[in-house]
Amino acid sequence: MLNAQIFYVGFLVNTIFFIGDLGGDTTSTWQRLLNGKNLSGWSTSGNWKVKENQVLSIKPRVGEHGWQRYADYLWTDKQYSNFALRLEYKIPIKGNSGVFLGVKNKTNPVYEGIEIQILDSYGKKEPLTAHDAGGIIGIAPPRKNMARPAGKWNQLEIICLKDHLVVDLNGEKIIDLDLTEKTGRSHPLTGFIGLQDHGVPLEFRNIEIKSF
């Protein structure tokens, strides 16, 4: 836990400088997006549970396979814009999930939102793609493979300010891009935040958000 605390302090310092450079408000404070007790403030039809140790888990039920079950994703009830999001996740061998941002239509998030990939890509030697841990699906691969081994906690931090997106995984900035320049169209990161149920079990904890 000490390493996570040190990591978060470093992320906070970097966030303040980044947001200040882009003209954002650096005076807001971190708020828990998951209260550690129940799913208040979120909605889903999936088998998401908050355990006694304040860990959020998803254990798909029998017959729940694949990623095209959007109602089974875990969605915030509110929409967010101009924010930093930080969380920890732990996945099994061959684990797969994602964090969705800027989703306005929960029935079509893969095509209308932005997905940051969560994947068991530890130790991969081949060139990284947008489908590796920390990549932006359909847009950009991570600069570096920072995924930890399956069964270990990973720290993921995301900054969304207007069309600008920064992703930090386990202490390394792996994405830093202007989505409008990258995609050739306006890509405001305003909308619901979601966690993907890909049909495999995984866990999250310490989910917090800071608005600018």
Side-chain angles (χ1 to χ4, degrees):
M1 184 60 69
L2 178 60
N3 288 339
Q5 291 172 341
I6 294 172
F7 182 75
Y8 282 151
V9 169
F11 174 70
L12 177 59
V13 172
N14 291 335
T15 299
I16 290 173
F17 283 114
F18 172 77
I19 297 302
D21 289 343
L22 292 183
D25 177 12
T26 61
T27 63
S28 61
T29 59
W30 290 99
Q31 304 291 329
R32 298 182 70 175
L33 200 53
L34 184 74
N35 64 24
K37 300 177 182 179
N38 52 49
L39 298 178
S40 176
W42 299 75
S43 58
T44 183
S45 60
N47 194 34
W48 296 83
K49 306 289 184 182
V50 179
K51 302 192 294 187
E52 290 183 0
N53 57 0
Q54 300 187 8
V55 170
L56 171 68
S57 69
I58 173 63
K59 293 184 178 179
R61 294 167 289 233
V62 175
E64 293 181 336
H65 304 291
W67 52 271
Q68 293 178 304
R69 298 175 292 109
Y70 304 134
D72 289 346
Y73 293 13
L74 185 63
W75 295 106
T76 58
D77 292 337
K78 293 173 52 180
Q79 295 192 38
Y80 294 88
S81 62
N82 297 330
F83 61 89
L85 175 71
R86 65 186 185 188
L87 56 83
E88 295 178 78
Y89 69 85
K90 182 169 63 174
I91 56 176
I93 294 174
K94 297 183 179 180
N96 193 329
S97 183
V99 177
F100 282 83
L101 311 167
V103 175
K104 297 177 179 61
N105 180 2
K106 296 179 183 178
T107 66
N108 196 25
V110 172
Y111 301 101
E112 295 187 19
I114 295 292
E115 179 186 358
I116 298 171
Q117 177 75 315
I118 291 176
L119 189 75
D120 176 24
S121 54
Y122 173 77
K124 180 180 178 180
K125 304 301 182 184
E126 298 83 6
L128 298 176
T129 74
H131 288 268
D132 287 307
I136 311 303
I137 299 295
I139 296 178
R143 296 174 177 175
K144 186 177 180 180
N145 188 353
M146 291 301 298
R148 290 178 177 160
K152 300 291 186 181
W153 286 104
N154 293 264
Q155 286 90 29
L156 179 66
E157 284 80 27
I158 303 160
I159 299 174
C160 302
L161 188 59
K162 301 177 182 177
D163 287 7
H164 204 105
L165 177 63
V166 174
V167 178
D168 192 300
L169 181 60
N170 296 321
E172 186 86 16
K173 185 188 294 184
I174 57 173
I175 295 286
D176 187 350
L177 55 84
D178 186 297
L179 292 171
T180 299
E181 293 179 1
K182 185 70 176 180
T183 64
R185 62 186 177 89
S186 179
H187 237 306
L189 293 166
T190 300
F192 299 103
I193 297 171
L195 304 177
Q196 186 182 51
D197 175 355
H198 204 285
V200 294
L202 75 152
E203 295 178 324
F204 294 90
R205 70 183 183 186
N206 297 327
I207 306 174
E208 296 181 325
I209 194 164
K210 179 183 177 76
S211 298
F212 305 120

